[in-house]
């Protein structure tokens, strides 16, 4: 579970939650309410939206690149 994953990286100074969906969708809200007392995650995801996808390939690819850059490069 999440405890084992975090324990495995005990030297980490920050915990990220990365998801492709907008932050008002997907697992972020589910995890937030179940872990907020124990862990602090910095969420990385698309901005809140009524739709899980943009509908435009170029915009999706740009957002995908931004998500990965945020996750791996801060």
């Amino acid at each position: 579970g999440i405890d084992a994953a975090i324990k495995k990286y005990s030297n980490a100074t920050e915990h990220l939650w990365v998801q492709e969906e907008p932050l008002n969708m997907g697992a972020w809200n589910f995890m937030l309410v179940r872990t907020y007392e124990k862990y602090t995650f910095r969420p990385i995801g698309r901005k809140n939206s009524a739709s899980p996808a943009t509908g435009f390939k170029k915009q999706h690819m740009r957002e995908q690149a931004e998500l990965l850059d945020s996750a791996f490069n801060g």
Side-chain angles (χ1 to χ4, degrees), residues 10-36:
S10 61
N11 291 333
T13 58
E14 182 177 37
H15 301 102
L16 306 177
W17 183 268
V18 182
Q19 67 179 39
E20 292 183 295
E21 298 90 1
L23 291 173
N24 63 321
M25 299 180 183
W28 167 241
N29 287 318
F30 178 85
M31 291 301 297
L32 177 64
V33 299
R34 286 159 180 78
T35 62
Y36 77 93

Side-chain angles (χ1 to χ4, degrees), residues 33-58:
V33 299
R34 286 159 180 78
T35 62
Y36 77 93
E37 291 179 341
K38 196 169 186 181
Y39 304 111
T40 300
F41 290 96
R42 181 167 62 93
I44 297 174
R46 288 181 166 80
K47 65 181 180 174
N48 290 348
S49 174
S51 174
T54 68
F56 299 100
K57 184 176 180 180
K58 285 183 181 181

